[in-house]
Amino acid sequence: MKISIFVALSCAIVVLLATAGCTQTPQSQPTPIPSQTIVPTEIPTAVPTPVSTIPVPAPTTIAPAISLPTTIKDTPLLFTISAPEGYTGTSIRVISTGYTNDYKTTIYNPATQGSSQIIDDQSGNYSELADSLTIFSYSTSLDVSQNLRAFLRNSGTVFDESTVTSLNGITYTRFDTRTDPFTGTPDETVIYVGNQANANQKGYLPEMIYSVTPGGIINQETYENMIMSFQYYPSKTIGTAPGTETDKPTYYQ
């Protein structure tokens, strides 16, 4: 009886051990993840911007044109012209090579130093006066245009010649010189010579001259506006035209 019980217990132990060995399931091992290779980001090489060695010119300020509120007229010579405030005009007779009455009108500021000496010059030549405009009234019997061209060509100055049409019905030949051809000073001088076909009723044609001087109050644009305002009138209407009459010294008429 004891042997049977022992045998039974032994068999039971064997069965339990066999069952335990069969039911064990091997654990699966995780798949290893390959390590990532870190590629360093390439930093772009900075290219220095070249610094310009060319100097940048400072902006040039162009002075605006001066207003022309004053109107000056010369009744005997049949013209009017606009001028800056405070300006006046003087007309004198100049020496001519022919049997004609030729005149020089100076549009100027009376406060200008030395103006009387230049205005009273009867030589018939242009004498530069700062901030002034000179108007020669020549008879069409004189070939002013041809004489002036010959003078400029022989003066040694460099100049440009052009045609300006229809300024109040007058066509001009314009001369732009690099220096004053009359005095040789290094001042730009501009000369307008009226076309003979546009002479006024008394047979006069205009020649207008100005010089742009360093430090001058009147700039070139102002001079050009003055010239554009120059106008001839018929004998019948000049008397009623607006404007202050030019001074006419009796001993120069």
Side-chain angles (χ1 to χ4, degrees):
M1 186 69 181
K2 290 183 179 178
I3 297 173
S4 299
I5 294 171
F6 177 77
V7 172
L9 290 173
S10 298
C11 291
I13 292 171
V14 171
V15 172
L16 289 173
L17 290 174
T19 303
C22 293
T23 57
Q24 272 190 332
T25 302
Q27 298 294 324
S28 62
Q29 296 297 322
T31 303
I33 300 174
S35 60
Q36 295 182 352
T37 302
I38 300 175
V39 179
T41 303
E42 182 179 357
I43 300 175
T45 303
V47 179
T49 303
V51 179
S52 176
T53 58
I54 302 175
V56 179
T60 303
T61 302
I62 301 176
I66 298 175
S67 61
L68 306 175
T70 302
T71 301
I72 299 170
K73 75 174 181 177
D74 192 302
T75 299
L77 298 176
L78 305 181
F79 72 78
T80 64
I81 189 170
S82 299
E85 184 177 0
Y87 270 55
T88 188
T90 297
S91 294
I92 66 172
R93 185 177 176 179
V94 297
I95 298 173
S96 62
T97 57
Y99 298 98
T100 58
N101 294 329
D102 303 322
Y103 294 89
K104 180 180 75 172
T105 302
T106 306
I107 310 299
Y108 70 106
N109 185 343
T112 302
Q113 294 278 336
S115 59
S116 297
Q117 180 180 356
I118 294 176
I119 292 169
D120 294 344
D121 176 15
Q122 299 179 76
S123 65
N125 296 323
Y126 168 70
S127 299
E128 180 182 332
L129 175 64
D131 297 320
S132 70
L133 174 69
T134 300
I135 306 168
F136 287 102
S137 296
Y138 285 112
S139 171
T140 52
S141 62
L142 298 177
D143 195 350
V144 176
S145 178
Q146 186 58 37
N147 292 340
L148 184 56
R149 290 170 190 243
F151 168 75
L152 289 172
R153 288 167 180 165
N154 295 326
S155 67
T157 187
V158 178
F159 67 92
D160 296 323
E161 181 178 334
S162 59
T163 300
V164 181
T165 59
S166 194
L167 295 181
N168 291 319
I170 303 175
T171 296
Y172 296 89
T173 300
R174 171 175 172 157
F175 300 90
D176 287 85
T177 67
R178 302 296 183 270
T179 58
D180 184 342
F182 304 96
T183 64
T185 56
D187 299 325
E188 179 184 357
T189 299
V190 181
I191 306 167
Y192 280 81
V193 180
N195 192 316
Q196 291 191 6
N198 303 130
N200 65 18
Q201 288 182 343
K202 291 188 176 183
Y204 289 110
L205 60 90
E207 175 191 315
M208 292 184 277
I209 307 176
Y210 69 82
S211 292
V212 181
T213 56
I217 297 174
I218 297 183
N219 59 9
Q220 187 162 17
E221 187 177 356
T222 303
Y223 282 122
E224 293 295 319
N225 289 342
M226 293 174 68
I227 289 174
M228 286 189 289
S229 73
F230 182 89
Q231 183 174 357
Y232 276 140
Y233 283 80
S235 299
K236 292 182 178 180
T237 59
I238 185 63
T240 58
T244 302
E245 194 72 30
T246 60
D247 178 45
K248 301 176 181 63
T250 56
Y251 45 91
Y252 286 138
Q253 298 302 312

